[in-house]
């Protein structure tokens, strides 16, 4: 580790955490309907779409509206991908995707996962990228933030019967948050050298006399929303390691900032909405602690280099540079990749498959914790709120008090729904990875044997279920088993957790809001922050420890012993 590497990470975190405070205050006003600068445009959208902005929705209506929109857009994206050969903006005459790959990709972008089992340069047209994928990057991000806003409203008062209007939330989040920042970030990326064009791929003649095709397209706009909406799907197969997506250390820092800032802003918004800012800061602190330890842990693992070199008598002072871009270095690469798995982004500027075992274990473990550091846009907030409910429930059991959180009593119904949501994800990850490793098709998808092969498969199912989208490059995912299996896992990971979260919010909203008393366990101080970090690590991570012991941790001990596999 170097001082300038640590300084880069500190600067990135400072920029993110500093910006999250005013952005969180702005988002609270947005969710409360107090931002009206584009009111005429907003109401024009309502008239065209037949939306009654005054109609409030209970949690069932809110969830049905969200699911219905997702189903419609899943089908539309599937059709675009299958029929892209006949659609406009296809100068390369790219043919339609086969059914299993189109299903996987449609599920991926509908759920904010952006898992890519295809090669973008050769298997998807510019038109499908913009009209299909980019549109879903906005919709899936806005839907996640809307669900978080609905959960926040449950704590604002007592005896509530509604959680807002999904269509109004979706419109306002897109219009006042996602679109403006994306446009500004697009210009910044354009100025920095990221292309934005609908022209055909360029042809060049090399010095060796050969011809070369250079892929290009509407990259800058997609790159901006890819990061800001924690989507992660790259225009190029190399994702943010490609110089057309991420040409300089400045763009790397900008994209890392875009990736994290909404996730850290949402707990601040929660504190403003309930009128208890310290409560939001406590959740914000938990997110920051977990992410900070993750980034510096991965950086330390990569900076220490490969133990096999030490056993061979080779000194590599620069650390493990395999799979990393020289223009970024180890610190910027580690912070980018860990940030992308602490959120649901999944974008990478270096290749996790080439990381040291412990360096690669950090991104996977952050996903297995439920992605709460700070998590996907929206999903990170309602996931950490559910962890907070479990934390106060456990604290209540230890001291014999009725658990409360933000003035709402936490009872059996909320805990049962919370555990149902978490267990569904666990079964999907461990069951899916185990099933795949028992099949010939699953084993055939692995590029490596031994513990690293287990890590590749476990990482893939973790990434899909947690709606992350990153992968270890050694996993060949475009097979019938993994296209349909991982596609189903993405849908479960998104909706089998989001729907119970909305049900929990409705149950809490209907309860009386209690003022703090001398018997209330404080949830805005260091004690609660420490308890919540412990609950997240134990409940979120311990269930995966046996599998992790056989995967990345076993890899580490093999390498330390100077062995190969």
């Amino acid at each position: 580790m170097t001082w300038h590497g640590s300084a880069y990470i500190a600067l990135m975190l400072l920029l993110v955490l500093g910006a999250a405070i005013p952005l969180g205050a702005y988002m609270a006003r947005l969710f409360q309907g107090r931002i009206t600068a584009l009111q005429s445009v907003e109401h024009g959208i309502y008239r065209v779409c037949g939306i009654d902005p005054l109609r409030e929705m209970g949690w069932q209506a809110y969830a049905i509206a969200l699911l219905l929109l997702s189903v419609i857009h899943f089908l539309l994206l599937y059709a675009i991908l299958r029929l892209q050969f006949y659609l406009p903006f296809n100068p390369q005459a790219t043919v339609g995707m086969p059914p299993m790959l189109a299903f996987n990709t449609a599920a991926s972008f509908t759920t904010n996962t952006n898992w890519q089992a295809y090669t973008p340069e050769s298997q998807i047209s510019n038109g499908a990228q913009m009209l299909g994928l980019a549109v879903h990057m906005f919709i899936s991000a806005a839907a996640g933030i809307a669900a978080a806003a609905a959960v926040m409203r449950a704590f604002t008062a007592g005896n509530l019967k509604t959680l807002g209007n999904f269509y109004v939330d979706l419109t306002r989040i897109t219009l006042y948050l996602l679109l403006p920042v994306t446009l500004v970030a697009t210009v910044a990326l354009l100025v920095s050298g990221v292309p934005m064009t609908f022209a055909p791929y360029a042809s060049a003649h090399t010095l060796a006399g050969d011809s070369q095709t250079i892929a290009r397209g509407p990259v800058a706009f997609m790159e901006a929303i890819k990061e800001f909406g924690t989507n992660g799907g790259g225009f190029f197969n190399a994702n943010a390691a490609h110089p057309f997506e991420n040409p300089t250390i400045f763009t790397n820092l900008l994209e890392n900032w875009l990736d994290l800032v909404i996730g850290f802003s949402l707990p601040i918004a929660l504190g403003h909405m309930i009128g208890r800012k310290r409560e939001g800061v406590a959740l914000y602190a938990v997110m920051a602690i977990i992410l900070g330890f993750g980034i510096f842990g991965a950086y330390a693992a990569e900076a220490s280099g490969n133990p096999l070199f030490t056993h061979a008598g080779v000194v590599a002072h620069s650390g493990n540079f395999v799979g990393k871009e020289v223009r970024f270095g180890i610190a910027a690469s580690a912070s980018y990749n860990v940030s992308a798995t602490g959120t649901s982004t999944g974008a990478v500027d270096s290749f996790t498959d080439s990381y040291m075992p412990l360096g690669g274990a950090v991104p996977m473990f952050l996903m297995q914790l439920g992605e709460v550091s700070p998590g996907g846009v929206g999903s990170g907030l309602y996931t950490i709120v559910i962890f907070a409910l479990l934390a106060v429930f456990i604290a209540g059991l230890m001291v014999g008090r009725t658990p409360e959180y933000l003035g709402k009593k936490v009872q059996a119904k909320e805990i049962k729904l919370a555990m149902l949501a978490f267990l569904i994800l666990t079964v999907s990850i461990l069951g899916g990875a185990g099933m795949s490793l028992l099949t010939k098709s699953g084993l055939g998808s692995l590029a490596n044997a031994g513990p690293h092969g287990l890590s590749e498969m476990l990482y893939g199912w973790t990434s899909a279920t947690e709606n992350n989208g990153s992968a270890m490059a050694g996993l060949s995912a475009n097979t019938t088993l993994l296209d349909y299996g991982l596609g189903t896992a993405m849908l479960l990971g998104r909706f089998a957790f989001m729907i119970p979260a909305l049900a929990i919010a409705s149950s809490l909203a209907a309860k009386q809001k209690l003022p703090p008393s001398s018997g209330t366990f404080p949830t805005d101080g260091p004690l609660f922050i420490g308890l919540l970090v412990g609950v997240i690590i134990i409940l979120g991570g311990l269930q995966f420890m046996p599998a992790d012991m056989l995967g990345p941790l076993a890899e580490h001990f093999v390498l330390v012993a100077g062995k190969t596999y």
Side-chain angles (χ1 to χ4, degrees):
M1 297 174 69
T2 62
W3 71 266
H4 50 80
S6 299
Y8 174 88
I9 294 172
L11 174 63
M12 184 273 295
L13 291 174
L14 182 64
L15 292 173
V16 169
L17 297 176
I21 294 173
L23 182 59
Y26 172 83
M27 291 170 69
R29 295 174 59 217
L30 174 62
F31 300 151
Q32 292 167 335
R34 293 159 55 196
I35 306 293
T36 59
L38 299 174
Q39 193 173 53
S40 58
V41 177
E42 183 184 344
H43 284 278
I45 294 171
Y46 298 150
R47 284 194 296 271
V48 170
C49 297
I51 297 169
D52 179 4
L54 301 179
R55 179 196 167 203
E56 290 287 308
M57 296 179 174
W59 83 267
Q60 296 98 330
Y62 204 98
I64 289 171
L66 192 154
L67 287 171
L68 183 60
L69 183 76
S70 299
V71 169
I72 292 171
H73 280 273
F74 170 87
L75 295 174
L76 286 173
L77 181 55
Y78 180 85
I80 289 171
L81 297 173
R82 295 282 288 132
L83 301 172
Q84 64 180 343
F85 179 79
Y86 306 100
L87 298 176
F89 304 109
N90 185 12
Q92 306 305 125
T94 305
V95 299
M97 286 186 180
M100 65 181 189
L101 184 57
F103 169 82
N104 182 277
T105 306
S108 174
F109 282 81
T110 300
T111 58
N112 200 243
T113 307
N114 288 207
W115 173 275
Q116 294 174 286
Y118 59 92
T119 304
E121 290 92 330
S122 61
Q123 290 183 282
I124 190 165
S125 69
N126 287 349
Q129 292 259 38
M130 285 297 291
L131 302 176
L133 304 189
V135 169
H136 281 75
M137 288 181 178
F138 279 95
I139 292 173
S140 64
I145 299 171
V151 170
M152 291 182 200
R153 293 184 184 112
F155 297 99
T156 57
N159 305 313
L160 298 174
K161 296 181 179 179
T162 60
L163 297 175
N165 184 311
F166 171 71
Y167 299 115
V168 171
D169 288 340
L170 189 82
T171 303
R172 291 177 56 77
I173 290 164
T174 303
L175 198 59
Y176 292 105
L177 177 65
L178 296 179
L179 197 53
V181 176
T182 297
L183 291 174
V184 172
T186 299
V187 173
L189 291 171
L190 272 168
V191 170
S192 302
V194 179
M196 183 71 190
T197 178
F198 285 100
Y201 290 179
S203 295
H205 295 283
T206 67
L207 293 175
D210 297 324
S211 61
Q212 180 182 358
T213 300
I214 301 174
R216 59 184 179 177
V219 183
F221 184 72
M222 284 193 63
E223 190 70 15
I225 186 56
K226 155 191 151 181
E227 301 293 351
F228 193 53
T230 64
N231 292 283
F235 190 91
F236 299 98
N237 193 42
N239 208 283
H242 197 292
F244 282 3
E245 285 197 24
N246 189 8
T248 68
I249 193 66
F250 166 75
T251 58
N252 198 76
L253 183 63
L254 172 62
E255 291 177 18
N256 210 159
W257 182 88
L258 290 168
D259 178 19
L260 292 168
V261 70
I262 289 182
F264 278 109
S265 300
L266 285 168
I268 301 299
L270 172 64
H272 280 273
M273 287 187 68
I274 63 175
R276 294 161 66 175
K277 297 178 184 178
R278 286 173 55 90
E279 300 284 358
V281 171
L283 299 183
Y284 164 95
V286 170
M287 292 174 171
I289 290 168
I290 295 174
L291 181 68
F293 274 102
I295 290 176
F296 280 103
Y299 178 33
E302 294 306 295
S304 63
N306 192 328
L308 291 179
F309 289 164
T310 304
H311 285 281
V314 178
V315 179
H317 292 292
S318 60
N320 177 36
F321 248 100
V322 179
K324 298 177 181 66
E325 294 294 305
V326 175
R327 68 185 185 277
F328 301 140
I330 293 175
S333 299
S335 66
Y336 195 106
N337 280 27
V338 172
S339 298
T341 48
T343 63
S344 68
T345 310
V348 293
D349 68 354
S350 57
F351 287 91
T352 311
D353 205 36
S354 302
Y355 274 41
M356 290 292 97
L358 293 184
V362 171
M364 182 159 67
F365 191 62
L366 289 180
M367 290 189 288
Q368 290 169 347
L369 292 182
E371 290 189 335
V372 292
S373 55
V377 287
S379 62
L381 186 281
Y382 58 71
T383 302
I384 202 169
V385 165
I386 292 176
F387 270 122
L389 298 178
L390 293 173
V392 296
F393 177 74
I394 292 169
L397 291 178
M398 290 192 292
V399 300
R401 293 176 180 170
T402 301
E404 295 177 17
Y405 186 60
L406 305 183
K408 299 299 180 91
K409 287 188 176 181
V410 181
Q411 297 172 303
K413 180 180 179 180
E414 292 82 32
I415 299 303
K416 289 176 181 177
L417 286 169
M419 292 311 302
L420 172 66
F422 281 118
L423 289 174
I424 288 174
L425 302 190
T426 305
V427 169
S428 175
I429 293 170
L430 296 179
M435 174 200 67
S436 299
L437 292 171
L438 291 174
T439 65
K440 188 175 182 179
S441 173
L443 292 173
S445 295
L446 300 176
N448 297 277
H452 194 65
L454 172 60
S455 296
E456 288 175 343
M457 187 62 75
L458 182 61
Y459 192 105
W461 280 90
T462 301
S463 177
T465 303
E466 295 291 351
N467 297 144
N468 184 267
S470 63
M472 289 190 171
L475 181 67
S476 299
N478 189 16
T479 66
T480 302
L481 172 67
L482 294 182
D483 273 337
Y484 286 119
L486 295 179
T488 303
M490 296 171 208
L491 295 169
L492 275 175
R494 176 74 162 182
F495 300 112
F497 197 97
M498 182 185 286
I499 302 307
L502 290 173
I504 290 170
S506 174
S507 177
L508 294 172
K511 295 180 181 181
Q512 183 181 357
K513 188 172 177 66
L514 304 172
S517 67
S518 58
T520 302
F521 176 62
T523 54
D524 60 357
L527 180 62
F528 177 73
I529 290 171
L531 173 65
L532 183 53
V533 170
V535 167
I536 290 171
I537 292 174
I538 294 171
L539 292 184
L542 192 61
Q543 55 199 334
F544 299 103
M545 189 56 67
D548 291 342
M549 286 290 290
L550 294 174
L553 296 181
E555 285 184 69
H556 171 71
F557 291 121
V558 168
L559 292 181
V560 168
K563 307 294 183 181
T564 58
Y565 47 83

